[in-house]
Amino acid sequence: MKILKFLLLSTTLFLCSCVGSDLTSLPNTIEEAKNDKLLIHIYRPSQRIVTINNSEYYLEDAFTTFKFNSKKDLTINKNFFAFIVKLKNLKTGEKMLTEDDHYQFINYYSDTGGIHDSNVSIDYDDINLREKLDTISMGFRNHLKQETIIKFTKIK
């Protein structure tokens, strides 16, 4: 019985390690999106520095982008796009938020906000929105829960 459980567990772990290995991720920068021909639009924030929890961040990049179907299938998936905001901690230079910072201190004004490869993002399944999104709002809260709303405006 123990051998059977071991074999089942080993097989499950092996199969799980193989699943998802062909999944693509979103571009991390505007340049990466441009080079891969995935860039849709670039956005300019109403201010560049925000406080998240107790740290100040510089809003480096803000853009909408497609992604590929997979690493092997480099066809652009035009049924999905994302709005990406690249942040940089002004004190440490780090470009990654903790899960606590993400959940407690960022208001996406969307049900599909999250972190992709250490960038803040909002995912969109309605492809018709991609040309209509002239402004996108996102709130950043400090440790006192005071929110600063940043409006990202599409650069024409």
Side-chain angles (χ1 to χ4, degrees):
M1 190 66 171
K2 287 183 180 181
I3 294 174
L4 180 62
K5 285 183 181 180
F6 175 76
L7 289 174
L8 285 173
L9 180 62
S10 298
T11 304
T12 303
L13 290 173
F14 174 75
L15 290 174
C16 288
S17 68
C18 294
V19 172
S21 61
D22 190 35
L23 297 177
T24 61
S25 60
L26 294 165
N28 286 316
T29 64
I30 290 173
E31 289 305 314
E32 186 180 327
K34 277 182 188 176
N35 291 340
D36 290 340
K37 296 180 177 40
L38 299 171
L39 182 67
I40 302 169
H41 294 291
I42 299 172
Y43 289 75
R44 181 177 298 124
S46 55
Q47 72 183 58
R48 287 281 180 184
I49 297 175
V50 295
T51 301
I52 301 172
N53 193 358
N54 283 316
S55 301
E56 285 192 321
Y57 287 84
Y58 180 76
L59 303 174
E60 287 187 316
D61 286 343
F63 59 100
T64 50
T65 181
F66 293 116
K67 68 178 186 175
F68 295 120
N69 285 326
S70 70
K71 289 179 184 174
K72 294 177 184 171
D73 178 5
L74 298 181
T75 305
I76 296 173
N77 180 347
K78 293 199 175 180
N79 296 318
F80 163 91
F81 72 101
F83 173 67
I84 304 290
V85 178
K86 189 169 192 64
L87 301 168
K88 180 180 178 183
N89 186 305
L90 289 175
K91 188 174 182 180
T92 66
E94 291 180 9
K95 299 181 187 217
M96 189 167 177
L97 293 172
T98 68
E99 288 297 317
D100 287 340
D101 288 342
H102 150 64
Y103 287 117
Q104 293 181 30
F105 299 103
I106 298 176
N107 186 351
Y108 295 96
Y109 294 100
S110 169
D111 293 336
T112 58
I115 295 182
H116 286 289
D117 297 331
S118 76
N119 291 329
V120 177
S121 73
I122 299 173
D123 298 338
Y124 295 95
D125 290 330
D126 184 355
I127 201 67
N128 295 320
L129 287 176
R130 79 173 178 222
E131 294 302 325
K132 297 176 186 176
L133 286 175
D134 291 332
T135 60
I136 299 170
S137 296
M138 197 176 284
F140 299 92
R141 295 186 199 109
N142 64 19
H143 67 285
L144 300 173
K145 305 291 187 196
Q146 298 165 323
E147 185 173 283
T148 301
I149 297 174
I150 304 297
K151 292 196 181 289
F152 297 89
T153 306
K154 181 170 42 174
I155 298 174
K156 307 251 178 197

